[in-house]
């Protein structure tokens, strides 16, 4: 167990950040699934929000920037093909 005040605070803040990252990541994955299952019109309206979510995850290092770029590319191709 941690002995220093700063270490105890770090444990608390790490847990808070972990839960926030987990929530945002799961929400984004659900949004991607919803976009892939939707029709053309709905997909076109969802696409910008999903791209924004992916960019935010990449910016905060929840996912790698290249993974975000690959996902955005795949989704753009999918929406265009509908």
């Amino acid at each position: 167990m941690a002995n220093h005040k700063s270490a105890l605070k770090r444990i608390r803040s790490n847990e808070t950040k972990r839960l926030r990252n987990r929530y945002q990541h799961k929400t984004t994955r659900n949004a991607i699934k919803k976009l892939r299952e939707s029709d053309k019109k709905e997909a076109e309206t969802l696409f910008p929000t999903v791209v924004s979510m992916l960019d935010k995850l990449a910016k905060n290092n929840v996912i790698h920037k290249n993974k975000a770029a690959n996902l955005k590319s795949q989704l753009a191709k999918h929406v265009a093909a509908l």
Side-chain angles (χ1 to χ4, degrees):
M1 188 63 203
N3 291 322
H4 296 282
K5 241 182 176 178
S6 60
L8 293 169
K9 182 177 179 180
R10 176 56 66 193
I11 289 168
R12 288 195 310 271
S13 63
N14 283 347
E15 180 65 11
T16 305
K17 288 174 186 177
R18 184 185 73 85
L19 292 173
R20 185 185 308 121
N21 288 341
R22 199 169 148 204
Y23 171 78
Q24 290 174 342
H25 196 186
K26 186 65 174 174
T27 306
T28 304
R29 287 199 308 260
N30 288 337
I32 290 170
K33 286 177 192 169
K34 186 176 178 185
L35 189 144
R36 287 196 173 128
E37 294 168 356
S38 62
D39 59 333
K40 175 95 173 153
K41 188 175 180 185
E42 189 182 355
E44 286 175 343
T45 57
L46 274 174
F47 183 67
T49 57
V50 172
V51 167
S52 173
M53 292 167 93
L54 287 168
D55 286 336
K56 285 177 187 171
L57 289 179
K59 184 179 85 173
N60 295 326
N61 292 321
V62 177
I63 61 173
H64 196 274
K65 64 178 183 165
N66 291 351
K67 180 181 175 76
N70 289 337
L71 284 169
K72 288 191 294 186
S73 174
Q74 288 172 5
L75 292 173
K77 279 170 61 174
H78 175 73
V79 171
L82 288 175

